[in-house]
Amino acid sequence: MMMMMKTTVRRLLPLRFLSTGAPSSSSAARGPRLDPGPLSFEDPGAFRVKSTKELLRALAVFRFCSVPLLVNNCDKLLSVARGVLGRRGLSLLLRPFVYAQFVAGETEGEISRSMTKMADLGLRPMLAVPLEEDLGESTGEQRYEENMASMLECVRLSHSNAWTTDPMMQLKITALLSPELCVKLTALLKHQTSVDLEVLLRGLNGEPIRFPGLDERENAHLLCGLKRLNTIAEASVHKVRVLVDAEYTYMNPALSLVTMAMMKKFNQGGVWIWNTYQCYLKESRGFLQEALDVSSREGFSVGVKLVRGAYMDKERRQAEKEDRPDPVHDSWENTNHSYNGNMELLMDLISQDPQRYRVIIATHNEESVRRTVQRIEELGVDKEGGSVCFGQLLGMCDHVSLTLAEQGYAVYKSVPYGSVEDTMPYLVRRAQENRTVLQGIRKERDLLRLELHRRMRLGRGGR
């Protein structure tokens, strides 16, 4: 792994770097809708739109996910189960349980039914192809080309269906460009006094490039990766908003540099390429401010996915191993302050120019959601205008998602799809990265139980 930037150059992309000289049927969901009222996440009535089967499944899954020993070892448990049951047997075991809770389906028909059901509840899908790589997992150009085809299919699915008028999808650059190259680019950014963004723009356009510090093979691979990203962006512009995920600090500066080049090219007439900012990082405010400054100078629009972050344990272990400062905030309170401060900054900009800036408040934290809603009201931002929206994971935090949707806010659910075999490694990684979130779902479980008990008292358990 590569060392963090020295303090004087640790910020994401110094301005000089960017000189230029983006399964279940729907019938069960069509229950009573809640009447808009004061914003509250305490009412189990938010779950009245769910079937009893869905309530029981969610309670069972959340119980499993709240046991650290099971979450920490779920990859090993899956391996053992696969050995005993075989792939088909494992698929039959998981499909009605964890898979049905967190995955939209495998076939287009299954996905469409899930998304139609979500739309009936006032929620919007943000499709996520379960493709990514970390160091040591690179599989070669052919696999990256196959991944590009899968993401182009995601663009088609997102755009060709009437689930929402403003579709989004997620993209991980490491599904199209090797993590090893991203790490090397990050290391080069620490030492080079200037990096011309025009180099990456030429690469996006398919022109030969030579990035300083890379050898011929690495430059060839970078060009191939940029061309793949360009193909996806061209297919999605004016159709689907592409939200680029953040990953680990040892590669994020490279990912953000590439994303900035995409923004420069494709965000001239709208906000089509978005970047993700992890507020649990001490430098997150600097990262975000640099991006805003560059966009202002270069004249392109900015989309921001604001998250707390999911790699805390690994980031801290890696920092300790490399004897460098911990990049993660020392306390949960500091992370909250960082998140809310970045939200405030973006809300102020949106109130001044809602066409140029967009943000998705991607969090399960109720306080941050309430603060954002308060700022929307104080600043007079149009909650239906698309500049501010909210996001949570499919199958989780529905008491927040459904309540916001009932109040008329745009709410997206991050929706993975694919086969059990393809999605389970993705879900395992997400579960292990989000241990804190999973262990903090007691309130949602309590609300689910209250709704289940209400039905039992009324003799409606078979609904």
Side-chain angles (χ1 to χ4, degrees), residues 29 32-37 39-41 43-51 54-55 117-124 369 390 392-393 396-413 444 448 451 455:
R33 299 293 296 273
L34 301 178
D35 293 328
L39 187 64
S40 171
F41 304 126
D43 185 3
F47 294 112
R48 291 180 188 176
V49 296
K50 290 184 173 292
S51 69
E54 289 172 324
L55 296 180
K117 176 178 177 179
M118 187 182 298
D120 288 345
L121 300 176
L123 304 176
R124 307 181 184 192
V369 171
F390 297 87
Q392 288 89 39
L393 298 173
M396 292 184 65
C397 208
D398 285 347
H399 62 297
V400 172
S401 303
L402 292 169
T403 301
L404 285 170
E406 288 292 341
Q407 294 280 340
Y409 294 96
V411 183
Y412 289 81
K413 287 293 214 177
E444 189 167 3
L448 287 164
E451 172 58 19
R455 294 185 190 185

Side-chain angles (χ1 to χ4, degrees), residues 62-76:
F62 290 166
R63 178 59 181 166
F64 177 93
C65 292
S66 63
V67 180
L69 182 64
L70 295 177
V71 173
N72 295 341
N73 295 282
C74 55
D75 48 350
K76 297 176 183 177

Side-chain angles (χ1 to χ4, degrees), residues 139-298:
T139 50
E141 295 292 348
Q142 181 58 39
R143 181 58 182 271
Y144 293 132
E145 290 293 316
E146 294 170 359
N147 289 349
M148 179 185 71
S150 296
M151 291 184 181
L152 289 172
E153 177 65 9
C154 185
V155 173
R156 185 192 70 78
L157 280 173
S158 300
H159 176 64
S160 63
N161 295 278
W163 305 323
T164 174
T165 57
D166 194 12
M168 292 181 173
M169 62 174 281
Q170 293 172 244
L171 180 147
K172 283 189 177 288
I173 288 179
T174 53
L176 304 164
L177 192 64
S178 79
E180 286 77 12
L181 182 60
C182 294
V183 169
K184 184 167 183 178
L185 283 172
T186 295
L188 292 172
L189 292 175
K190 301 175 190 179
H191 306 296
Q192 296 184 10
T193 56
S194 65
V195 176
D196 192 350
L197 191 59
E198 191 65 34
V199 172
L200 297 181
L201 290 171
R202 289 199 300 270
L204 288 170
N205 292 328
E207 301 174 21
I209 59 172
R210 182 168 181 79
F211 194 96
L214 299 183
D215 61 30
E216 184 177 349
R217 180 184 60 82
E218 291 165 336
N219 271 299
H221 175 57
L222 176 59
L223 177 59
C224 289
L226 291 171
K227 289 166 67 175
R228 284 187 282 266
L229 288 163
N230 188 77
T231 298
I232 294 167
E234 285 187 336
S236 62
V237 71
H238 303 304
K239 297 177 182 178
V240 181
R241 303 187 193 278
V242 177
L243 279 61
V244 178
D245 284 332
E247 300 187 47
Y248 297 103
T249 53
Y250 51 74
M251 64 175 77
N252 266 341
L255 304 183
S256 290
L257 178 65
V258 171
T259 305
M260 282 295 227
M262 295 172 68
M263 285 185 176
K264 170 66 177 174
K265 179 174 181 179
F266 294 102
N267 282 9
Q268 298 294 334
V271 187
W272 299 103
I273 307 298
W274 300 41
N275 201 13
T276 299
Y277 294 88
Q278 301 159 304
C279 296
Y280 72 164
L281 297 178
K282 296 173 182 176
E283 296 290 337
S284 65
R285 183 58 171 263
F287 296 169
L288 178 58
Q289 189 63 61
E290 290 286 1
L292 295 171
D293 290 345
V294 171
S295 73
S296 179
R297 181 167 61 86
E298 298 291 343

